[in-house]
Amino acid sequence: MPQIVSKKQKTLEFASGRDASDSIDLQIQEKLRQSFSDVLTEPIPDRFLKLLDRLSDGKPQ
Amino acid sequence: MSVKKSFRDALLVEIPAMRAFARALCRDRDAADDLVQDALLSAWKSQLTLRDVGCLKSWLLQIVRNAHLRAVQSRARLRAEPIDDDADYASQVGGEDELVEGEDARSVLMKLAAADREAIVLVVVHGLSYDEAAEVCGCPTGTIKSRVNRAKAQMRTALTQDREERGPPKRSTPEKLPGRAA
């Protein structure tokens, strides 16, 4: 006898699979953001501050 | 406040994002900062072409990307190597070892194809919309979606394998460690 799977059951399985996939995606996002957190939060190096100061003062490069 | 000072301050806010994107492109810390310096100079010279200040971040990331492509093209010309497309540009940049050290997700990221890598960094790390990322990369929005999905799938596989089968990924390149016997 073929097993009868209700529409509701299929929907639940699909939703469960999607939830797992979303959860992994969230983990990947979190890991990626963490892996760049050093450069995103560290102080801006002097070379860039000086460069922008020179540019805004109209000094040639 | 003068226009120059306010533009300077606006650029200052975006420097961390520019540096992070440059590192994803170059895979080398020092080369990335040189790239950001070039991009800042270009941005300053072409500030009048910025039409919407709300798009400053994606405008700057596009400048970083263009500067990167110019640098890779220039290096390739010196080596007389032909370059066909964007993926080839970035794949020819070396210096991977320094940045992957100690970073699981980053080390996996750095192994992705250049086009996939830049797409996932723009969308996931910098929070750009697919449309904005497409504008930065100069390609259709659908292409960006495909690249992000492919990158996510590869990262998912690699990170799962690392966790379940191989244990922690290798953190260094043994042959480059001083004093290590072969």
Side-chain angles (χ1 to χ4, degrees):
Chain A
M1 274 285 282
Q3 191 180 356
I4 297 169
V5 181
S6 70
K7 248 186 187 175
K8 189 177 177 185
Q9 178 71 21
K10 277 185 181 174
T11 308
L12 284 173
E13 283 171 5
F14 176 74
S16 159
R18 200 178 50 193
D19 285 350
S21 172
D22 286 350
S23 161
I24 294 170
D25 276 0
L26 283 175
Q27 284 177 38
I28 290 172
Q29 283 180 18
E30 189 58 30
K31 277 174 178 286
L32 270 180
R33 286 182 184 144
Q34 277 173 8
S35 74
F36 283 98
S37 62
D38 55 347
V39 67
L40 289 170
T41 55
E42 73 188 23
I44 294 170
D46 271 354
R47 65 186 284 191
F48 299 127
L49 298 173
K50 287 176 182 167
L51 172 68
L52 290 181
D53 285 342
R54 280 200 304 271
L55 291 169
S56 59
D57 290 342
K59 291 179 183 166
Q61 289 306 299
Chain B
M1 187 185 287
S2 73
V3 175
K4 279 183 179 177
K5 289 285 180 198
S6 65
F7 189 63
R8 171 200 176 275
D9 293 347
L11 288 182
L12 215 51
V13 171
E14 300 300 346
I15 284 178
M18 294 170 76
R19 294 180 76 210
F21 186 49
R23 284 193 195 181
L25 294 177
C26 292
R27 303 185 290 188
D28 178 86
R29 195 183 305 265
D30 294 332
D33 278 352
D34 289 345
L35 185 62
V36 171
Q37 175 141 341
D38 288 347
L40 285 170
L41 280 167
S42 296
W44 193 270
K45 285 176 193 163
S46 53
Q47 57 184 286
L48 293 177
T49 65
L50 175 64
R51 293 185 180 179
D52 179 3
V53 181
C55 296
L56 178 65
K57 186 178 186 177
S58 57
W59 183 72
L60 289 170
L61 296 180
Q62 189 172 20
I63 291 174
V64 170
R65 185 179 186 273
N66 290 340
H68 172 64
L69 295 186
R70 276 197 306 274
V72 175
Q73 271 179 320
S74 162
R75 278 197 293 272
R77 266 196 297 272
L78 285 175
R79 293 192 302 243
E81 290 173 3
I83 292 182
D84 296 327
D85 55 27
D86 286 358
D88 281 345
Y89 288 141
S91 69
Q92 293 191 17
V93 181
E96 178 178 349
D97 295 337
E98 186 188 348
L99 278 179
V100 298
E101 217 167 277
E103 300 284 358
D104 290 355
R106 196 186 285 188
S107 68
V108 174
L109 177 74
M110 295 305 171
K111 289 172 189 163
L112 298 180
D116 296 347
R117 189 170 67 241
E118 69 179 4
I120 196 171
V121 168
L122 287 171
V123 172
V124 172
V125 179
H126 296 298
L128 263 57
S129 68
Y130 288 119
D131 288 338
E132 288 170 328
E135 202 170 323
V136 170
C137 298
C139 65
T141 305
T143 305
I144 289 293
K145 285 182 183 173
S146 305
R147 289 174 180 174
V148 170
N149 286 337
R150 189 164 51 232
K152 277 184 182 173
Q154 286 176 320
M155 291 204 70
R156 196 180 300 136
T157 304
L159 291 172
T160 309
Q161 277 175 356
D162 278 343
R163 205 178 304 133
E164 292 177 359
E165 294 169 17
R166 294 199 298 265
K170 289 177 185 174
R171 299 294 173 87
S172 58
T173 312
E175 62 267 26
K176 292 199 174 180
L177 290 174
R180 176 78 60 95

